[in-house]
Amino acid sequence: DYKQYLGKDITSLVILPVWIMQPFTMLQNMAEIMEYTDCLDKAAVTEDPYKRMAHVVAYTMGPFAAVERAWKPFNPILGETFELHKADKGIKYIAEQVSHHPPIGASHAENDLWEYDLVSAPKTKFLGNSVEVYPVGRTRIKLKGTGDEFTLIPPPTKAHNVIIGKTWIDTHGEYKLINTITGAKVSLIFTECGWFSAGRYEIRGHVYDPEGVPKLLLEGKWNSHLDCTPCDEEGNPLPDAEPERLWTCESKPENDPYQFTKFAHVLNSCEGINPLPSDSRRRPDRALLELGRSGEAAVAKHS
């Protein structure tokens, strides 16, 4: 009886069957922002402060491009961890589930150019045949060379047709990135999908100086690309200004059973690393589901 859950946060309230799960955990979901770290490397060495912010925005696009997977990730247990090493980039990433009820995860990553910190405490609202997901928490990005620190407020995501119909995902609302040192900010509007998919995926907004004057126009689609164009004080592109592509989403594997990105497969791999005993990749239920043994995964999940 789903009526008892209407309007409630079901993040850890409902026991869900394995057949709607993906072989992935929330800690691994949190790590998907590590896919496009090249954008953050560019931000760290960019002299123009507003272009620098635009590169930081490009870095944060990765999770949006991966959010279309309709399957639910496993909730981590208290003390569960996940680590990622990108040796060629000098990046180390570690995440841990620091609270089980309510579910809260914390992560840290860094290299020689920047630091990234996240405390993730997502909230949900069950609406009958849809679920809204609110990315509650705190994100901090620090560029070591410039001293800039940014905080990110992403828009909510909504899963449609979770009980009846084909499930699909939309992200809409305002995205904010704020330089807490200078007061400069970015505001993007993620357009809500309309009838016949009108406006789906579209994003548009500006990089503003501390006085609120637009400096750069940002536009694109959150599942494919982000462009940057110099603009006037009204926010319109400067005459003859050419858009610069800051981010392009990597192509996704065809016919993947869980619509995983290539990077999601990397996050499920233990190649080149010996994960801690507490690592998400060592969970029997997740590992069995990845192998297609859903019956055994269900037993492992509830044991």
Side-chain angles (χ1 to χ4, degrees):
D1 185 1
Y2 294 104
K3 292 181 180 178
Q4 62 181 310
Y5 299 117
L6 283 172
K8 293 184 178 180
D9 181 0
I10 59 169
T11 307
S12 58
L13 185 63
V14 182
I15 298 176
L16 298 170
V18 163
W19 60 266
I20 68 167
M21 312 294 286
Q22 57 179 298
F24 220 56
T25 72
M26 285 298 299
L27 293 180
Q28 291 172 288
N29 269 144
M30 288 164 55
E32 290 190 280
I33 199 168
M34 291 291 111
E35 181 170 5
Y36 299 97
T37 53
D38 285 350
C39 295
L40 205 50
D41 292 343
K42 289 180 181 177
V45 297
T46 297
E47 293 186 5
D48 182 85
Y50 308 114
K51 189 69 171 293
R52 190 184 305 146
M53 288 193 75
H55 282 300
V56 175
V57 173
Y59 159 69
T60 66
M61 288 293 107
F64 297 112
V67 78
E68 288 191 274
R69 296 196 298 271
W71 293 267
K72 183 188 180 301
F74 287 92
N75 284 341
I77 62 174
L78 182 64
E80 186 172 326
T81 62
F82 180 78
E83 59 182 309
L84 170 70
H85 294 173
K86 297 176 76 172
D88 57 328
K89 305 293 183 182
I91 297 171
K92 293 184 178 180
Y93 174 95
I94 183 73
E96 180 179 352
Q97 191 74 3
V98 296
S99 173
H100 191 55
H101 293 291
I104 301 174
S107 65
H108 174 80
E110 66 177 289
N111 68 2
D112 292 338
L113 298 174
W114 48 262
E115 294 180 1
Y116 168 87
D117 292 286
L118 170 66
V119 176
S120 176
K123 302 292 183 183
T124 61
K125 182 182 288 187
F126 180 62
L127 301 174
N129 199 31
S130 63
V131 176
E132 290 186 345
V133 182
Y134 304 97
V136 178
R138 188 209 69 178
T139 301
R140 184 183 70 96
I141 300 169
K142 180 179 180 180
L143 303 182
K144 295 181 178 180
T146 65
D148 287 319
E149 292 190 15
F150 305 95
T151 184
L152 169 65
I153 305 172
T157 294
K158 188 173 185 178
H160 297 262
N161 301 339
V162 295
I163 298 175
I164 300 173
K166 183 178 180 180
T167 304
W168 60 281
I169 311 296
D170 192 25
T171 297
H172 61 89
E174 186 179 14
Y175 163 113
K176 293 181 180 179
L177 182 76
I178 302 168
N179 186 323
T180 58
I181 304 300
T182 68
K185 69 175 184 178
V186 174
S187 175
L188 295 176
I189 298 300
F190 284 53
T191 302
E192 184 174 5
C193 180
W195 288 98
F196 306 108
S197 298
R200 191 176 184 190
Y201 305 120
E202 292 180 3
I203 54 178
R204 192 178 193 275
H206 297 87
V207 180
Y208 297 90
D209 69 14
E211 286 70 45
V213 178
K215 293 295 183 179
L216 297 171
L217 169 66
L218 300 177
E219 54 188 348
K221 293 188 174 184
W222 54 260
N223 72 331
S224 64
H225 68 280
L226 179 70
D227 291 342
C228 171
T229 311
C231 66
D232 59 26
E233 293 187 358
E234 301 299 320
N236 300 312
L238 293 176
D240 301 323
E242 292 292 331
E244 178 184 353
R245 183 65 46 92
L246 299 183
W247 169 75
T248 302
C249 182
E250 286 286 334
S251 60
K252 300 174 183 177
E254 294 185 7
N255 303 317
D256 189 278
Y258 294 101
Q259 295 179 300
F260 273 4
T261 62
K262 295 174 184 176
F263 189 64
H265 284 291
V266 171
L267 296 178
N268 255 346
S269 170
C270 294
E271 185 176 350
I273 189 173
N274 182 25
L276 295 169
S278 56
D279 194 279
S280 293
R281 286 162 289 200
R282 294 191 181 275
R283 288 181 59 137
D285 50 3
R286 189 216 61 79
L288 288 166
L289 185 60
E290 185 179 17
L291 294 172
R293 294 155 61 180
S294 58
E296 294 172 72
V299 174
K301 179 177 184 288
H302 299 296
S303 63

